[in-house]
Amino acid sequence: MKSKIINMVDRLKDSEELRLEAMFKSDPLPDLGFSKKVMTRVRRQMWIRRLTMPVALVIGGSIAIKPASDLVITVTKVFNALPSNLTSLAVDLPSLSVDSLPQMTTFLVSGAIALIALGFVRALED
Amino acid sequence: MVAQQDANAFGELVRRHQSQIRNFLRKLTRDNVLTDDLSQDCFLHAWNKIHTYAGRGTFIGWLLKIAYTTFLQSKRKSNRYHEILEEVGHVEDVNEERVSRDSDEISDLDKFLAILTEEERAVMILSYACGLSHREIGDAAELPIGTVKSIIFRGKKKIRESFEIKDHQYG
């Protein structure tokens, strides 16, 4: 109610107000393909949005698949060793090839590349 | 499918409001090409933020707020660009280009708007060209209502002091 009263007060016009309105008034602009251009950009953006996540997943997945599979293999080996004999595990662990363990740097680089890919796709979108 | 329907509905909104948004930006920028670029950006921002429109106030008020923000962002970028050009000594070319563009067509309204500051110009256009209430202008320009009223008062005073307001018809 209060805001309605304020709006009505705002709208009270004297002759100067009306003259200013007439001066600022302009004819409606014809569309001339403007809406079509906007909607083309909107639809393009929608497609890029839809593709962003799958593309990022494919890029990130293809980079991370090797270290991830190495990790799975190593963890499986460790879990297989555990139930048989905990004492022998202590002896067996050093025998596991160090090369088969996924390196932290590989994970970090993969993550960074995935993030950059995401950022790149977002930048393309913008 | 739902997204497609949303896009179609948004297309209708663009068709309905494009004239007001482009007229607002045209008065602010006085550059038709820049106006169309900024208007497109404005509608694209609106599409991305449509979920934030809570139905408080008019839709055109909300769109004009986005248009004004888009204009200010573009202005900031452009200022930075001119600073860089000044640093590398290309400022004369830019000024010549601006003069030739501005001197193409100077209407009465352009003369009126030229004596106002950028903020006064935006508020006066929102009030007299777009017909927004003081509250809506406050929302669009992120200013308190009292400030909006004093800006309009100051703008009118400047116009009154500089020109004799007659029955003008812009165009």
Side-chain angles (χ1 to χ4, degrees), chain B residues 40-103:
Chain B
Q40 284 187 30
D41 289 346
C42 162
F43 280 111
L44 217 60
H45 289 152
W47 168 253
N48 291 329
K49 290 171 185 286
I50 194 88
H51 60 278
T52 65
Y53 176 62
R56 281 190 309 243
T58 57
F59 186 70
I60 186 65
W62 183 74
L63 271 181
L64 284 165
K65 179 182 180 168
I66 294 175
Y68 186 51
T69 311
T70 308
F71 165 75
L72 290 177
Q73 282 172 349
S74 143
K75 184 94 181 162
R76 272 195 287 272
K77 273 185 199 167
S78 152
N79 286 345
R80 180 71 195 121
Y81 176 69
H82 285 136
E83 278 171 21
I84 292 166
L85 281 178
E86 273 177 33
E87 279 171 23
V88 295
H90 280 286
V91 67
E92 283 182 19
D93 297 346
V94 176
N95 285 343
E96 278 170 19
E97 189 186 314
R98 179 171 286 186
V99 167
S100 64
R101 190 188 68 198
D102 286 355
S103 59

Side-chain angles (χ1 to χ4, degrees), chain A residues 11 16-17 26 29 45, chain B residues 19 27 48 128 131 156 160:
Chain A
R11 294 261 162 229
E16 188 187 60
E17 295 280 296
S26 49
L29 289 174
Q45 196 184 65
Chain B
S19 175
K27 286 186 179 77
N48 291 329
Y128 292 104
K156 276 160 67 176
R160 210 181 295 124

Side-chain angles (χ1 to χ4, degrees), chain A residues 2-4 6-47 49-50 125-126, chain B residues 3-4 7-8 10-11 14-15 18-19 22-23 26-27 36-37 39-41 43-44 47-48 109 112-113 124-125 127-129 131-136 145 149 156 159-160 165-171:
Chain A
K2 193 180 172 188
S3 68
K4 274 185 183 174
I6 290 169
N7 281 342
M8 281 182 74
V9 171
D10 288 347
R11 294 261 162 229
L12 285 176
K13 291 166 189 160
D14 56 22
S15 59
E16 188 187 60
E17 295 280 296
L18 292 170
R19 281 201 297 271
L20 275 168
E21 273 187 8
M23 193 180 76
F24 275 83
K25 192 183 166 193
S26 49
D27 295 328
L29 289 174
D31 192 293
L32 300 174
F34 175 82
S35 310
K36 205 175 170 185
K37 277 184 205 162
V38 171
M39 291 319 293
T40 307
R41 282 183 69 181
V42 164
R43 291 206 169 89
R44 193 188 307 147
Q45 196 184 65
M46 279 168 68
W47 274 108
R49 280 258 164 88
R50 275 180 207 158
E125 182 185 310
D126 290 338
Chain B
Q4 188 58 42
N8 291 338
F10 187 73
V14 174
R15 272 184 290 279
Q18 59 85 21
S19 175
R22 285 163 75 203
N23 262 327
R26 195 172 274 196
K27 286 186 179 77
D36 275 12
D37 288 346
S39 303
Q40 284 187 30
D41 289 346
F43 280 111
L44 217 60
W47 168 253
N48 291 329
L109 183 64
F112 281 99
L113 293 175
M124 293 293 278
I125 295 168
S127 178
Y128 292 104
L132 295 194
S133 68
H134 292 167
R135 182 179 292 276
E136 285 173 322
I145 294 180
K149 285 180 181 173
K156 276 160 67 176
I159 291 174
R160 210 181 295 124
I165 303 173
K166 290 175 184 169
D167 288 329
H168 284 89
Q169 184 70 38
Y170 175 63

